[in-house]
Amino acid sequence: MTEFFKTTNPNITDNHQLRDPQREGFLAIEKATEEKEIGIVLPVGCGKSGLIALTPFAYKSNRVLIIAPYVKLAEQLHDDFDPTVGEIFYHKRQVIDNNSFAEPVLVRGTSINKSDLDEADVVVANIQQLQGENNRWLTSLPDNYFDLILFDEAHHNVAESWDVLRKKFPNAKIVNYSATPCRADGKIMSGKIVYSYSIFDAIQKGYVKELKALMLNPATLRYVRIDDETKTEIEVSREEVLRLGEDDANFRRSIVTSSETLNTIVDASIRELKRIRELTQNDKHKIIASALNYRHCQQVVAAYQAKGMKVDYVHSKREGKDDNDKVLDKLNKHELDVIVQVRKLGEGFDHPYLS
């Protein structure tokens, strides 16, 4: 461990290569370092991952643990620190000179051991890697191993699985970050909110696209329930769909959208994509479609293909270990019009042309 965050003098507060909410957020964190746990609210697109990278300087941290709710976001956060995968955030934004960098480690599978962690200034993990009472990572680390824990998409961290980390490292300071601090079930992310940047200011500054909702509100919806390979198409009200989604686990597992409903949604999204591309004169804009399960994902992909769109999907059931990475590479090379996902690309996923 290099004591990087103690010995490096970063260029932050007067650095106009950084966004306003990154500089202002850092100052707010710096003033609140005596607090046990604090919260930061930033809209998507305002540089939350950059602020996460800056935060350990405010605490002059010895070793920081950064937690994300899922793998792809953990990888993106790790890459902000890793000079072997490209220009790191600190260098791109002239926070430090190009000869300096923190030592990062991504906890993934069984390829990392404790000696790797001992050498690291920054340890990044998704929460699933640290779950379970007998988790090999948690049981092997002393209680003072981390002096700072940063939770990304922290509205998730009210769950018991996240609370295990608070108990394991009781003296660590905690910073929570989210664009949406309130969960759908009404629970709010932990910590005193010390800085919040409004969506209005974010749009005015051009950090995020102006938001526009295109609502499709038919009186009824049709869905196909599949039981023992028998398909039954049922027409129900919107209210009944919401009730079934909340109360019926079999509905959530087996629902596959009817062709009529699916094509209505697909056609509307393609029209909107074409409008955005024409308005911006930029063909890089894309659709992201969220499917309910693997079967539904395949159906959504086929529906877009039938309309002549270049489409692919990411899902844990892809055949090869690297197949999802290959799809994301196609996305980044602008070889897709549409990407379909099932719980793989959630909050915080960073791609500027998902419109």
Side-chain angles (χ1 to χ4, degrees), residues 13 21 39 46 77 81 99 106 110 122 134 136 147 161 186 189 267 322 324 330 342 355:
T13 55
C46 288
L77 291 168
F81 294 93
N99 295 320
L106 177 65
T110 59
V122 179
N134 297 316
R136 73 185 187 95
D147 59 352
S161 56
M189 76 174 186
D267 287 343
D322 300 324
N324 284 324
K330 287 165 64 177
V342 182
S355 302

Side-chain angles (χ1 to χ4, degrees), residues 4 7 16 32 36 43 48 79 89 91 97 106 116 151 235 263 288 303 311 318 336:
F4 175 80
T7 59
H16 291 282
K36 168 63 177 174
K48 177 161 57 69
D79 289 352
F89 171 77
H91 299 165
D97 67 66
L106 177 65
D116 296 309
F151 287 120
E235 185 168 345
N263 284 327
I288 181 169
V311 57
R318 291 218 65 138
L336 298 177

Side-chain angles (χ1 to χ4, degrees), residues 293-295 313-320 323-324 344:
N293 51 44
Y294 185 67
R295 194 198 305 255
Y313 70 96
V314 288
H315 192 282
S316 58
K317 286 189 176 181
R318 291 218 65 138
E319 295 81 2
D323 282 357
N324 284 324
K344 292 292 286 185

Side-chain angles (χ1 to χ4, degrees), residues 200 229 302:
F200 176 81
E229 301 306 317

Side-chain angles (χ1 to χ4, degrees), residues 22-291:
Q22 291 173 328
R23 289 184 283 111
E24 294 169 5
F26 179 83
L27 287 171
I29 293 169
E30 202 171 39
K31 291 177 181 176
T33 53
E34 294 305 312
E35 299 277 351
K36 168 63 177 174
E37 185 166 3
I38 61 174
I40 301 290
V41 179
L42 288 187
V44 174
C46 288
K48 177 161 57 69
S49 61
L51 182 55
I52 289 172
L54 297 173
T55 297
F57 288 114
Y59 290 87
K60 300 189 183 302
S61 174
N62 285 316
R63 186 185 290 110
V64 56
L65 174 63
I66 302 177
I67 297 294
Y70 52 90
V71 171
K72 185 51 63 178
L73 184 52
E75 290 174 348
Q76 287 184 342
L77 291 168
H78 171 265
D79 289 352
D80 279 339
F81 294 93
D82 188 358
T84 67
V85 298
E87 188 178 20
I88 64 174
F89 171 77
Y90 296 143
H91 299 165
K92 282 190 289 190
R93 298 293 175 237
Q94 299 177 15
V95 175
I96 59 176
D97 67 66
N98 287 5
N99 295 320
S100 302
F101 57 89
E103 190 68 43
V105 164
L106 177 65
V107 176
R108 184 85 187 272
T110 59
S111 60
I112 301 297
N113 56 45
K114 186 174 179 296
S115 65
D116 296 309
L117 302 186
D118 290 342
E119 295 298 319
D121 304 295
V122 179
V123 177
V124 185
N126 66 300
I127 188 62
Q128 289 78 14
Q129 293 285 345
L130 301 173
Q131 287 180 333
E133 290 184 8
N134 297 316
N135 181 277
R136 73 185 187 95
W137 294 113
L138 292 184
T139 54
S140 68
L141 302 178
D143 293 352
N144 64 350
Y145 198 74
F146 299 104
D147 59 352
L148 180 63
I149 301 175
L150 310 181
F151 287 120
D152 195 10
E153 302 302 335
H155 50 286
H156 294 284
N157 76 6
V158 295
E160 183 179 350
S161 56
W162 298 64
D163 207 41
V164 169
L165 294 174
R166 291 186 177 88
K167 295 174 181 176
K168 172 61 182 176
F169 306 108
N171 297 320
K173 299 292 180 65
I174 297 171
V175 184
N176 300 295
Y177 310 80
S178 182
T180 54
C182 296
R183 289 180 15 148
D185 60 8
K187 293 181 179 180
I188 300 175
M189 76 174 186
S190 303
K192 174 185 175 184
I193 304 296
V194 299
Y195 181 74
S196 180
Y197 195 74
S198 75
I199 188 67
F200 176 81
D201 288 338
I203 291 171
Q204 291 292 100
K205 282 282 188 179
Y207 298 145
V208 300
K209 305 179 188 79
E210 190 163 353
L211 303 179
K212 176 179 179 289
L214 178 65
M215 305 299 291
L216 303 178
N217 280 324
T220 62
L221 293 169
R222 293 183 183 182
Y223 73 93
V224 177
R225 184 186 289 275
I226 299 176
D227 296 306
D228 299 324
E229 301 306 317
T230 301
K231 296 183 179 181
T232 306
E233 185 157 329
I234 303 171
E235 185 168 345
V236 292
S237 67
R238 294 193 307 272
E239 292 75 16
E240 182 68 0
V241 169
L242 292 172
R243 186 194 67 76
L244 287 167
E246 292 175 353
D247 300 339
D248 187 341
N250 187 53
F251 174 87
R252 293 194 297 272
R253 285 193 300 269
S254 65
I255 182 173
V256 176
T257 309
S258 74
S259 296
E260 181 181 345
T261 300
L262 178 57
N263 284 327
T264 299
I265 295 169
V266 166
D267 287 343
S269 65
I270 292 173
R271 285 196 302 271
E272 185 65 10
L273 178 67
K274 289 179 177 177
R275 186 192 70 81
I276 291 171
R277 285 178 168 180
E278 184 175 344
L279 181 68
T280 62
Q281 293 295 295
N282 189 336
D283 286 340
K284 293 179 180 178
H285 291 281
K286 305 172 187 70
I287 294 168
I288 181 169
S290 295

